[in-house]
Amino acid sequence: MPSMFVADFHTHYACPAYSALPPHQAAPELARRWGVLARRIADLDGLLAEAGRRGVDLRVLSAPPALLTPHGERTHPDDMRRLNDHLAEAVATAPQRLRGLATIDAFAGDRAAEEAVRAIRELGLSGLVVDCATDGQLLGAAQARPTLTVAAELGVPVFAHPISPAAMTLAFAGLGRFGTSLARGTMNAAALLSLLADGVLAELPGLHVVFPMLGVAGLSLAAATDEGQRITAAAPASQRAHVYLDTMGFVPAAIRFATDLLGADHVLVGGDWPIGARETSRERVETALTQAGLDEAERRLVAGANALRLVDARCVPARNSSSVITR
């Protein structure tokens, strides 16, 4: 039987002209490591070399706005364009091994949606990465709807990346790195729930949105409600909303929970490279998925087939589409 295809959906890379910034009010442990991490985020050759050593077939590259924009500021449209232009060039250097998610400030309304269209149609990028929230808005907000609509119509995934909310990270500072993760995960869970509560998932059945395992609490809360059943594998195919989780952390019990709830076709390998404590390797992926009790077909889906399906699923929308695509 052919070897398992391994794709890491959660890999950070950014144009070297932009310094990667640590999470707002990051725990001291992370702050001390950040200089090294920032250099690795800008090192494409090192990323590819490491992926080869670790047996990772495909890396999906992303740089969420909060990784490159100081806290409290908005990513300037010109910077988004430069970042996405560079990312497309980077992916073109190794098209069999890389895909790219365009950096988009989803809360910038139609202007952000227009850049999303350009990044997908003109640059050939495979999806979008957005901040899951700002300090005052969640992803279900009206300002983010144009970007989400474009993604649904173009058939590309949206990676809803965590942010560090100011008040929450300060309140949890005494927990160290756990506090940073808890604050970010709480905001990520809230963003997931906002898509359900604000009707986005019902309004945009073609939306495919990926959350890291940090936001798993939102999934658990949603699934416990009647309206939240639409995000689970138990939903009728015609009503199912396409919410995905990446494995961030490689904990077999967490992977089992995610696959039981969402289905093995809606879970992806993600290592949060190079920030995550457990980096993605073929051995780690195979071990975690086996210990999670997944069968051969399920392991292949989670290991890489799901990610490949998402990032290679671009489509051309109908000419009578009502979004900014046709403006």
Side-chain angles (χ1 to χ4, degrees), residues 122-133:
E122 297 181 21
L123 301 181
L125 295 175
S126 299
L128 315 177
V129 61
V130 304
D131 291 340
C132 71

Side-chain angles (χ1 to χ4, degrees), residues 23 42 179 244 253 261 295 319 326:
Y244 301 74
L261 204 54
D295 63 28
R319 284 292 180 184
T326 58

Side-chain angles (χ1 to χ4, degrees), residues 38-324:
R39 288 191 292 274
R40 293 179 73 189
I41 289 170
D43 182 4
L44 185 64
D45 289 339
L47 182 157
L48 286 169
E50 182 174 315
R53 290 193 302 271
R54 294 181 178 273
V56 178
D57 298 298
L58 184 74
R59 292 274 192 181
V60 181
L61 308 181
S62 64
L67 182 66
L68 303 167
T69 307
H71 183 78
E73 298 182 17
R74 305 297 293 272
T75 307
H76 193 278
D78 289 344
D79 291 322
M80 278 194 288
R81 291 177 66 90
R82 292 189 192 104
L83 288 163
N84 294 331
D85 287 345
H86 175 83
L87 180 59
E89 293 170 0
V91 170
T93 66
Q96 301 304 313
R97 302 177 63 192
L98 300 172
R99 296 292 188 278
L101 304 180
T103 301
I104 298 294
D105 175 6
F107 299 92
D110 285 348
R111 185 171 58 185
E114 289 164 2
E115 172 58 14
V117 172
R118 187 189 77 91
I120 302 304
R121 282 191 161 176
E122 297 181 21
L123 301 181
L125 295 175
S126 299
L128 315 177
V129 61
V130 304
D131 291 340
C132 71
T134 69
D135 262 342
Q137 297 173 302
L138 297 171
L139 193 56
Q143 289 86 342
R145 200 68 53 90
T147 291
L148 300 181
T149 299
V150 161
E153 293 181 356
L154 290 177
V156 298
V158 176
F159 185 20
H161 198 271
I163 67 158
S164 294
M168 205 175 297
T169 51
L170 184 61
F172 297 160
L175 298 175
R177 60 188 176 89
F178 295 118
T180 299
S181 295
L182 180 58
R184 292 169 69 80
T186 300
M187 191 59 77
N188 206 229
L192 191 163
L193 292 171
S194 77
L195 296 182
L196 186 64
D198 293 335
V200 177
L201 297 177
E203 178 185 327
L204 300 176
L207 180 64
H208 292 253
V209 58
V210 181
F211 290 85
M213 192 66 79
L214 275 182
V216 69
L219 174 63
S220 181
L221 288 169
T225 67
D226 289 340
E227 62 269 31
Q229 286 294 306
R230 68 183 302 115
I231 72 174
T232 72
S238 62
Q239 301 174 24
R240 188 181 186 188
H242 296 288
V243 173
Y244 301 74
L245 281 186
D246 80 42
T247 60
M248 187 178 172
F250 299 103
V251 178
I255 295 170
R256 179 78 257 180
F257 172 75
T259 55
D260 281 348
L261 204 54
L262 295 177
D265 60 339
H266 280 61
V267 180
L268 316 167
V269 162
D272 193 20
W273 188 93
I275 302 164
R278 297 174 177 173
E279 295 186 357
T280 304
S281 69
R282 177 172 298 275
E283 180 181 5
R284 176 164 283 143
V285 169
E286 292 177 347
T287 298
L289 299 185
T290 299
Q291 291 180 352
L294 305 189
D295 63 28
E296 176 72 17
E298 291 171 330
R299 292 197 298 272
R300 288 182 178 276
L301 286 173
V302 176
N306 292 335
L308 193 60
R309 184 183 75 249
L310 281 177
V311 297
D312 286 351
R314 283 173 292 176
C315 65
V316 179
R319 284 292 180 184
N320 63 356
S321 167
S322 61
S323 79
V324 297

